[in-house]
Amino acid sequence: MNQPTSFTAPQQIPSFINGMSTPLRAGGFDIPVIDPASEEVVSHLREADAGEVDLAVTAARKAFDEGLWPRMDIKDRKDILYAISETLLSNAEELSALEVIHTGLPISAVRHQVKRAAENFEMFAEVASNVSGQTYTQTKNYLTYVTREPKGVGALIAPWNAPLALASMRVATCIAFGNTCVLKPSEYTPLSMLRMVELFHEAGLPNGVVNLVNGRGHVTGVSLVGHQGIDMVGFTGGSPTGRSIMAAAGHNLKPCILELGGKSANIVFDSADFEQALDGALLGIYANNGQMCLAGSRILLQRGIADRFIEQFVARAKTIRVGHPMSESTEMGPVAYKKHMEHVLSYVDIAVQEGATLLTGGRRADGFDKGYYIEPTAVLAPNNKTRVCQEEMFGPFASFVIFDTLEDAIRIANESPFGLVSYVWSQNLTETMRCSRDIRAGVIWVNTPLMRELRAPFGGYKESGIGRDGATTSAEFFTEYKTTTIPIDPVKMARLGTSA
Ligand code: NAD
């Protein structure tokens, strides 16, 4: 329904190495790509085995060790990064259509994500052009200067929940500083990724700077992260995967930046602007089909407004337009794949067994013959220790908890293995300042949902990650410092071996 026929998925998704699609090997392993709205197989990806990963790393290595990209004048590198941004925008409809087909995300949301992908390249072009070093002159007769150099070849691994926005972020933060990379997207979402990498090259990116391999984590991902030819790992995905990636990278002494999962507290105080908080809470959990690392999935309500808030939240959740993701009016599409739908829905029984009250949803949505559509779901949990408050479900499933005091809110927000973001809705300065200071999360949003300031550090405390994306923080991770010391006058040295 409504799928633009001019942008159908290619039948086969190969790897893309050194500026071209790789020929498909006989006997290679194919993985079906399924449209979550129709449950139909729309394409197949050819899984890259260790040999193909080696080809990709070798191409990235050569482009780094011998190629122009790390040695290019920043003006020329910036021009290419800006050209990439423009090329993504001028192909936005095609990219959006491919993204909708494999993710099930509403087209209206995906259009924003294509813009965000383009913006990532512009922003990191500017950041890279402003990287500077240091000089030290305090030690007599010496000038010591510190330069920043690209670090090498990045192994970049991306998830399926917003492939264009997140994989482009990984790539832009890496290549803008002169690095090269191998990108492995999620095996669920290869369609827009291949087209994105082709477009980088149409925009003038030299061959070998960005290489693409497809496949499952335990095959392609493991081969990539464990390859001796890489210099660093940039990973966005789940916390359990982050744990094994860091262990593998650590074995080879490769540094990692890890952007992982969340179970973020969305705190609504009695003092909040009620309507703003309500709009923000609904967006915080049901936008992007509920599949956001930064979802406000634990909604903490102060007792004074709790009943009214729940009543109005539930009324609104029931009227969210669940529909085909290509329809302009759709607010929530299907979740990404069948097993994920079953995973999210399994928490309804878990919630009830733990003494929670099912407030709304909890089933596959009515009115669809096919597709992994779930009703927007919400439960009222008896306390924050329940699994529905502690585990990331990564779907359109809100868990409410009621609290009494500011201290309670902060304690409950911090009672989590995660610490990615926290939302605070309040008109009281002390409440907002105390939450900002005392909640252990990488980002605090006060009276606003989902506001990603790309220049500022983004990342998580605790099991939500290690390191931060952002202007200065990405420059820190993706460059090496080099210290050079030179004497002004010739130095007097002890002359070993001259005493005889
Ligand atoms: P996932 O961890 O299952 O997979 C992420 C990627 O890692 C995929 O490409 C997968 O193939 C690969 N992978 C899996 N095992 C691997 C291994 N052993 N070695 C190398 N690669 C491996 O995550 P997902 O289900 O694709 O995405 C959802 C998760 O991502 C959620 O937990 C979500 O919170 C998190 N996420 C975090 C952020 C952030 O910025 N913090 C953003 C988006 C999503």
Side-chain angles (χ1 to χ4, degrees):
M1 167 188 150
N2 276 351
Q3 237 173 55
T5 45
S6 50
F7 298 129
T8 47
Q11 285 309 294
Q12 280 281 353
I13 306 289
S15 297
F16 192 95
I17 298 174
N18 205 25
M20 59 182 139
S21 293
T22 51
L24 299 177
R25 287 162 291 116
F29 183 67
D30 284 340
I31 300 175
V33 182
I34 295 168
D35 172 354
S38 66
E39 302 183 30
E40 282 168 15
V41 174
V42 289
S43 181
H44 284 87
L45 69 83
R46 175 59 62 89
E47 185 163 64
D49 61 9
E52 199 152 297
V53 169
D54 183 55
L55 290 178
V57 175
T58 304
R61 192 75 264 159
K62 193 162 188 292
F64 185 78
D65 293 335
E66 300 165 28
L68 191 59
W69 187 249
R71 295 159 192 90
M72 194 178 266
D73 190 284
I74 189 64
K75 161 92 177 62
D76 298 331
R77 200 192 297 147
K78 262 180 84 175
D79 284 349
I80 294 175
L81 294 168
Y82 270 87
I84 287 177
S85 171
E86 280 160 26
T87 308
L88 294 179
L89 289 178
S90 54
N91 290 275
E93 280 304 293
E94 180 184 9
L95 285 170
S96 302
L98 293 172
E99 190 83 325
V100 170
I101 294 170
H102 62 186
T103 60
L105 297 177
I107 181 77
S108 55
V110 165
R111 289 210 179 95
H112 287 291
Q113 293 176 15
V114 176
K115 285 194 192 124
R116 169 63 200 286
E119 205 181 323
N120 287 336
F121 287 95
E122 292 185 17
M123 204 200 78
F124 281 97
E126 295 304 327
V127 174
S129 75
N130 283 296
V131 165
S132 60
Q134 304 155 13
T135 54
Y136 295 90
T137 55
Q138 294 91 333
T139 302
K140 198 173 166 204
N141 196 38
Y142 285 97
L143 168 66
T144 292
Y145 61 86
V146 181
T147 45
R148 308 279 292 274
E149 299 185 347
K151 203 174 212 146
V153 174
L156 309 181
I157 299 184
W160 48 261
N161 63 310
L164 282 167
L166 297 172
S168 65
M169 184 70 169
R170 281 274 146 269
V171 172
T173 55
C174 179
I175 68 168
F177 301 102
N179 301 297
T180 64
C181 68
V182 178
L183 169 67
K184 193 208 84 67
S186 167
E187 58 274 31
Y188 293 103
T189 53
L191 303 181
S192 62
M193 299 288 92
L194 175 62
R195 190 66 192 119
M196 176 182 82
V197 173
E198 286 170 352
L199 290 170
F200 294 166
H201 292 80
E202 287 174 25
L205 188 73
N207 293 347
V209 175
V210 177
N211 304 278
L212 174 79
V213 290
N214 287 297
R216 292 163 296 174
H218 69 276
V219 178
T220 314
V222 165
S223 303
L224 178 59
V225 172
H227 198 292
Q228 291 287 354
I230 63 157
D231 296 295
M232 64 229 158
V233 179
F235 173 71
T236 307
S239 302
T241 314
R243 204 170 258 125
S244 37
I245 284 183
M246 193 161 178
H251 184 74
N252 290 339
L253 293 178
K254 308 296 182 195
C256 295
I257 180 167
L258 304 175
E259 299 289 357
L260 307 177
K263 189 75 189 180
S264 297
N266 187 347
I267 308 171
V268 186
F269 287 94
D270 288 348
S271 72
D273 177 322
F274 189 91
E275 288 302 322
Q276 287 269 97
L278 186 61
D279 291 346
L282 286 155
L283 274 175
I285 185 62
Y286 298 129
N288 218 58
N289 299 349
Q291 300 165 150
M292 295 181 287
C293 58
L294 33 70
S297 49
R298 281 187 299 154
I299 306 180
L300 280 43
L301 299 177
Q302 197 160 19
R303 198 170 297 278
I305 46 100
D307 287 347
R308 186 160 73 101
F309 196 94
I310 288 175
E311 187 190 318
Q312 295 199 20
F313 182 100
V314 167
R316 293 268 296 274
K318 284 182 196 296
T319 58
I320 287 176
R321 286 188 300 273
V322 179
H324 193 282
M326 279 311 292
S327 165
E328 297 288 345
S329 61
T330 289
E331 293 176 319
M332 228 179 81
V335 296
Y337 54 96
K338 185 161 184 246
K339 214 167 127 214
H340 186 54
M341 174 184 72
E342 289 163 358
H343 165 77
V344 175
L345 290 177
S346 74
Y347 277 93
V348 176
D349 284 345
I350 293 170
V352 172
Q353 278 159 20
E354 289 181 316
T357 310
L358 179 63
L359 300 167
T360 187
R363 296 176 310 143
R364 289 183 81 155
D366 286 337
F368 301 93
D369 299 336
K370 287 276 172 64
Y372 309 128
Y373 295 93
I374 298 182
E375 293 174 336
T377 297
V379 301
L380 174 60
N383 61 62
N384 187 54
K385 298 205 168 16
T386 48
R387 285 180 63 191
V388 285
C389 291
Q390 291 295 309
E391 296 175 15
E392 185 185 42
M393 301 170 208
F394 215 56
F397 194 126
S399 303
F400 284 101
V401 180
I402 296 175
F403 70 91
D404 288 300
T405 64
L406 170 61
E407 275 65 32
D408 285 344
I410 292 169
R411 178 182 48 75
I412 295 169
N414 285 336
E415 251 173 28
S416 171
F418 299 106
L420 192 54
V421 308
S422 190
Y423 307 57
V424 179
W425 300 90
S426 165
Q427 298 292 329
N428 176 299
L429 188 61
T430 303
E431 286 168 353
T432 55
M433 293 307 292
R434 282 286 311 282
C435 286
S436 164
R437 188 188 68 186
D438 294 340
I439 292 177
R440 290 177 51 74
V443 175
I444 310 284
W445 282 319
V446 177
N447 296 332
T448 181
L450 308 173
M451 167 44 203
R452 190 66 205 279
E453 169 53 78
L454 289 178
R455 292 157 197 82
F458 177 86
Y461 281 43
K462 302 191 264 182
E463 293 180 22
S464 287
I466 294 190
R468 299 284 186 272
D469 286 329
T472 52
T473 42
S474 295
E476 193 70 29
F477 182 77
F478 283 104
T479 61
E480 290 280 14
Y481 284 104
K482 179 181 280 175
T483 298
T484 303
T485 297
I486 306 178
I488 312 282
D489 289 317
V491 290
K492 287 204 175 76
M493 285 172 275
R495 304 193 65 213
L496 300 181
T498 56
S499 58

